[in-house]
Each structure stands twice: as C-alpha cells, then as structure tokens.
Amino acid sequence: MTSVVSESIDGIRDVLSRAGESIVIGGKPGPSASGELIDTHDPATGEAIASIAAGGAADVDRAVSAATRALGSWQDLSAAARARILYDIAALIEDHAEELATLETLDNGKPLTESMFLDVGIAAEIWRYYAGWCTKIGGQTLPVSPPVGTSFAYTRREPLGVVGLIVPWNFPLLIASWKLAPALAAGNTVVLKPSELTSLSALRLVELVNEAGIPPGVVNLVTGYGHEAGQAMIEHSGIAKISFTGSTATGQRIVTASAASLKKLTLELGGKSANIVFPDADLAGAAEGALTGIFLNQGQVCCAGSRLFVHRSVHDEMLAVLESAARDIQLGHGLADGTEMGPLISPVQRDRVEGYLRSGTEQGATLVCGGQRPHGDLAAGNFLTPAVFSEVRDDMRIAREEIFGPVLSVFAFDDEAEVLRRANDSEFGLAAGLWTGDVKRAHRVAHQLQAGTVWINQYNMLDPAAPFGGYKASGYGRDLGEESLLGFTQTKSVWVSLD
Ligand code: TXE
C-alpha cells in the first residue's frame, strides 16, 4: 500500500475502531443484539478495513421505538430551532470534509477528489438547502364553497411519523443526506440503514448529527444486511414510509412487503439512460459529457449515460475520441494521487459487469476497448478498465439491462424521430442527455424523452433544488427539491365554522 493510503488510514483509525458499535439508537452507539459483525473491505485492495455491526429485527424494533418516543421532542421544537440544527450539521460536515471523504473513498473506492467535491460537498449543500425549508413548510387557505361567510378551510403539511431510509453503496453519504435532511426538515424521526458494503460514512454522519444537538432518538442508525435489517424495516408496522434507493428487484420486494402496513414509498431504482449526440453539437463537449456520463464513480451511477446514440455523420469520429480518452483514464487506489477511476464496489459487482461484457461480445457487439482486469499493483482490487462497445443492437442485453459498471454502448442513428423512439424504448426512465446547437430541437426532444431528468448540453448535473427520480421501472416519488420534502409530509384539511 502506498504511503498516502496508510497515512490517510491513520487519520480515520478512530472511526474504524468504533465500527463494531454502529447501531446508534437514542443517540447511543452499540453492537447489534446478535453480536454479529460484517467485515467491510477496501475495494481497491480487497483488505478488510473494519467490521460493522450486523443489525437485525430486534435492533430495528428498538430503533423504531426510540424514533417513536423522539417524535415529540423533535416536533415540539420551533421550526427555526430545527433549522439551526440542520445548518449546524451542514457546517460540521464541512469541518470534517477530509475525514468523511477519506472514509468514503476507502469504503467505496471512488477517487478522493470525487468524494470531496461531489459526495461531501453536495451533501453539505443539501443539509443547508433543507435547513432553509424548515421555516417555509406552509399550507393553503382554500376557496371552499359553502354559503359565503359560514366556513373557512385551510391545509396543514404534517410529518408522517417514523420514516425508514434505505441507502445503497454507490453514493453512501450523499444519498443518506438527501433522504435524511428533508425527512427531518418536515418533522419526522428516522431509522437509517446504509448498505452493508459501505456503512462507515453513515456512522460518522450520524455521530455528527448527534453532535449538532439533535434530540436523542430523532436519527437512529441500524447497519446490517438488506435481507435482515432492511427486511425488518419494510415489514415494521411502526414505520410510516420507506424511502429507498437501490435495485429494481429490491424495490419490487419493498412494494410487496410494505403492502400489509400500507407504507408510503419513494423508490429510486435502476436506469438505462440514453445520451444523444446530434450532428450540430459541440462534439468535444459532447465527448467529455459522454465520458463523465458513463465513467463517473466507475459507472456505478443510476443515471449513468450507458446508451450513447451518436448521429451517423459524426459516429466514427466520436467513437475514436471516446476510445482514446477511455484508454487514457488512470485507474488506481482512490486515495492515490492522479487516480481518475477506482475499483468496482465488490468482487460480486465485478463478476456481474464481466458477465455483461461477455454477453455483449457473444451477441455480436464489438468491444472497442477495455473490460480487462489490470495486473500488477491493482490485481487484488475489483478493477476493470473502462470499456466501450460499438455495433450494439437495441435488443442486446447490454442495451437493455442496467450494467452498473464502466461500460459504454455506442449506437449510430439517422434522424430525430428514430432516435427518440429508440431512446424511449426501455423499461427504465431515470435520466437522459442530449447535445445540440439547435435550441428548438433541444427543448422539443427534452419534452418527448421519457425520463425524470433531461440534461441539455451537459450531463450528471445535480442540485439540492432539482427533483431527482424516475419514470417507468426507475421508480416513483422524487428525491431532492421541494418534492422530496413534501413526500415526507401528509396533508390535513382543517374546516372551521364561522357561523
Ligand atoms: O442492490 P440492493 P445491490 C442496482 C445495480 C446493481 C444492482 C444490485 O444495477 O448492480 O442494483 O446491487 C438493501 N429489504 N443498484 O444488490 O440489494 C441493501 O442492504 C430491504 C442501483 O447492492 O437493491 C442496500 O442498503 N432492504 C442503485 C440497498 O437495499 C434491502 C444503487 C440497496 O441494495 C433488501 C445500488 C430487502 N429485502 C444498486 N435487500 C441505484 N438506483 O442507484 C437489500 N436491501
């Protein structure tokens, strides 16, 4: 291991040593009821870096009880007092940015600069954005129609109660923040379950949330496996809503399991996003956007632009640029200087991606570059070199299924109507991108793409104010923006007699 990596680990050794007590209930950390642990690994080396508590049904039950008891202490605070705590959490995240980013990179593998500026940087802004909302959640006065002067009605936006937040491993701190902050701003209390693969930044975040002075029990953390801790949450009758980000298969399981207690759900699931380059686009900008669109976070991004449609007149030129840029991407440990792309999250995920690489070639696509396990220093990690396929048909598995890895499929198209039809021919509808110099075409196409987010002449832009979520099998409900906040409330109509 390089010295930069071991020095960084020294800086966070304390957090790693507390990982076995990662069940935080009523403000107090502790082990799981079963005493079982889960090893968490550095995906760049395969080494175990810490062991987290493997929570189960008993821990979830205790967490829900603590969250239920804490409802009063949170909702009795004035909106301004709640806002101040959320602002303080944002400031604490920034004060601990380096520590949080190092934890994230070590646990997830992504390059440190990405962890710093994207994960930690945007997470702090999200807390600040929702802190501002605490004092702005209002209702409406309603134009009801009984005889004038006899009745008056208005609405109140009230919290749901205890909400369960289930978070994946690709942006652990960021997604935990974008679910926690609006849930808390709306007055709910929370049970948070991070992925069993990446729980360390959530543990540190919950410590900082408690340090900011949130009443004990408002935010509870249960680490553990999905089929144990996660399943216990979706079956628990004391949880009013589940907000989930993860695979479509687990999302479907959540819909079924939560039916008995009629939980409200927000589901942000998989994607197979189309990114379209028209011939009048700034091709250099489009190529750069296509590369970050697919290779950011090793391609483990739900809105990754994994299907790149390029107009036939510029297809070969674009493919050559993409191939050369992909070959130049520097793989390495996320903590090492110069690393542009890290490893995949786990050996299982790498196997899954390699399965897609094989299927692409077997079904007749051309692997232009990448898709190899590197040798030497990186051989022990879950690395794969960035891959580009051409000659891909729309009916191939690599064109239809979410790969969730650094694999780009490039398609040629001839006209706008054709590319719109092909872009929309997907069970998913999370995001899409388009590149053109024609403003009319830009909006015309954006309006017809079946996706929850469309980027014009950019890709992967994210902001606390912009709702994020999917059409079709990419889920329902929205994270971020006012819409996420409202999703953590329920509306009450209040009627008043004036007679
Ligand atoms: O996801 P899971 P996995 C996609 C991506 C990836 C595939 C599998 O295609 O290759 O999913 O990844 C918790 N009840 N995405 O297996 O299982 C689990 O512990 C309750 C896209 O890791 O969906 C974790 O906290 N919870 C995605 C979370 O669900 C359960 C991001 C996500 O894990 C559970 C991640 C259960 N029965 C993967 N089973 C995106 N939309 O960004 C698991 N979990």
Side-chain angles (χ1 to χ4, degrees):
M1 214 185 298
T2 62
S3 65
V4 60
V5 175
S6 34
E7 274 165 33
S8 304
I9 293 176
D10 282 344
I12 55 168
R13 210 170 281 289
D14 278 359
V15 187
L16 301 182
S17 67
R18 295 197 291 277
E21 305 216 328
S22 56
I23 310 283
V24 185
I25 296 179
K28 294 200 179 66
S32 65
S34 68
E36 302 281 316
L37 294 166
I38 303 170
D39 282 347
T40 187
H41 297 90
D42 175 350
T45 62
E47 287 167 37
I49 47 175
S51 303
I52 55 155
D59 304 288
V60 167
D61 201 42
R62 272 197 317 126
V64 174
S65 300
T68 308
R69 282 195 303 277
L71 278 168
S73 60
W74 190 229
Q75 291 169 6
D76 288 349
L77 282 183
S78 70
R82 288 206 304 269
R84 275 195 294 275
I85 294 176
L86 267 54
Y87 280 120
D88 286 349
I89 295 169
L92 279 170
I93 289 174
E94 281 174 347
D95 291 348
H96 293 82
E98 215 166 300
E99 178 193 358
L100 286 164
T102 307
L103 271 178
E104 203 70 316
T105 288
L106 199 58
D107 214 8
N108 163 284
K110 65 181 76 190
L112 188 63
T113 43
E114 273 178 37
S115 296
M116 273 298 273
F117 297 107
L118 201 161
D119 299 69
V120 179
I122 301 183
E125 290 307 335
I126 287 170
W127 283 95
R128 210 165 271 129
Y129 172 82
Y130 285 108
W133 268 112
C134 292
T135 50
K136 295 166 196 71
I137 304 174
Q140 293 175 301
T141 55
L142 304 170
V144 289
S145 296
V148 174
T150 61
S151 279
F152 164 61
Y154 62 93
T155 59
R156 283 166 52 77
R157 284 280 185 177
E158 298 186 347
L160 297 169
V162 177
V163 297
L165 312 178
I166 301 180
V167 172
W169 43 261
N170 53 342
F171 294 95
L173 179 82
L174 184 62
I175 298 181
S177 293
W178 84 35
K179 293 184 188 300
L180 272 168
L184 295 172
N188 301 280
T189 61
V190 165
V191 179
L192 170 68
K193 196 205 87 64
S195 165
E196 56 275 27
L197 297 172
T198 53
S199 297
L200 297 174
S201 59
L203 172 61
R204 192 66 190 110
L205 176 64
V206 170
E207 288 176 354
L208 295 176
V209 165
N210 286 320
E211 194 179 320
I214 209 153
V218 172
V219 173
N220 304 281
L221 176 70
V222 180
T223 53
Y225 291 113
H227 64 275
E228 291 176 0
Q231 189 71 26
M233 283 172 69
I234 62 184
E235 288 172 358
H236 202 292
S237 60
I239 293 183
K241 167 170 178 155
I242 295 282
S243 177
F244 169 79
T245 299
S247 63
T248 299
T250 302
Q252 286 165 329
R253 204 165 297 132
I254 291 175
V255 174
T256 312
S258 64
S261 53
L262 277 179
K263 285 182 185 25
K264 293 174 179 55
L265 299 177
T266 291
L267 304 174
E268 200 262 274
L269 309 173
K272 193 73 199 174
S273 299
N275 195 5
I276 306 169
V277 182
F278 289 99
D280 57 1
D282 157 15
L283 290 186
E288 210 172 297
L291 290 161
T292 43
I294 185 64
F295 295 133
L296 179 81
N297 208 26
Q298 296 76 250
Q300 302 165 132
V301 180
C302 47
C303 54
S306 50
R307 291 186 295 150
L308 184 70
F309 291 94
V310 184
H311 192 268
R312 199 173 301 280
S313 62
V314 291
H315 172 274
D316 293 354
E317 182 189 343
M318 178 67 105
L319 190 60
V321 173
L322 294 171
E323 178 188 353
S324 132
R327 286 186 190 279
D328 281 350
I329 291 176
Q330 189 173 331
L331 261 58
H333 196 293
L335 295 173
D337 280 345
T339 294
E340 293 172 322
M341 206 172 103
L344 297 179
I345 188 67
S346 64
V348 170
Q349 189 63 17
R350 181 170 62 176
D351 289 350
R352 195 177 286 158
V353 174
E354 285 178 329
Y356 280 111
L357 288 163
R358 277 194 302 278
S359 114
T361 351
E362 279 160 19
Q363 291 193 307
T366 303
L367 183 60
V368 177
C369 63
Q372 311 296 321
R373 295 184 181 201
H375 304 292
D377 286 353
L378 304 184
N382 313 317
F383 290 92
L384 272 183
T385 56
V388 178
F389 273 113
S390 67
E391 312 291 327
V392 187
R393 282 195 326 271
D394 294 349
D395 63 348
M396 292 179 180
R397 283 185 61 212
I398 57 167
R400 307 209 67 79
E401 298 176 21
E402 181 173 60
I403 299 177
F404 227 60
V407 183
L408 179 66
S409 294
V410 184
F411 307 78
F413 74 91
D414 293 298
D415 69 60
E416 185 180 309
E418 171 212 333
V419 77
L420 258 170
R421 181 184 48 72
R422 292 170 66 192
N424 286 335
D425 178 22
S426 167
E427 65 171 308
F428 298 110
L430 191 56
L434 69 107
W435 303 79
T436 177
D438 176 346
V439 71
K440 292 182 191 166
R441 169 156 40 207
H443 293 284
R444 190 167 64 228
V445 173
H447 294 190
Q448 292 178 81
L449 283 165
Q450 295 164 1
T453 294
V454 177
W455 289 290
I456 299 173
N457 294 332
Q458 54 183 359
Y459 205 90
N460 271 346
M461 293 299 289
L462 185 81
D463 188 275
F468 184 77
Y471 283 25
K472 304 191 271 186
S474 292
Y476 44 76
R478 290 291 178 270
D479 286 309
L480 299 175
E482 182 181 2
E483 214 168 319
S484 168
L485 181 89
L486 297 182
F488 284 110
T489 67
Q490 49 199 341
T491 306
K492 178 181 282 173
S493 295
V494 181
W495 286 77
V496 189
S497 165
L498 301 179
D499 261 351

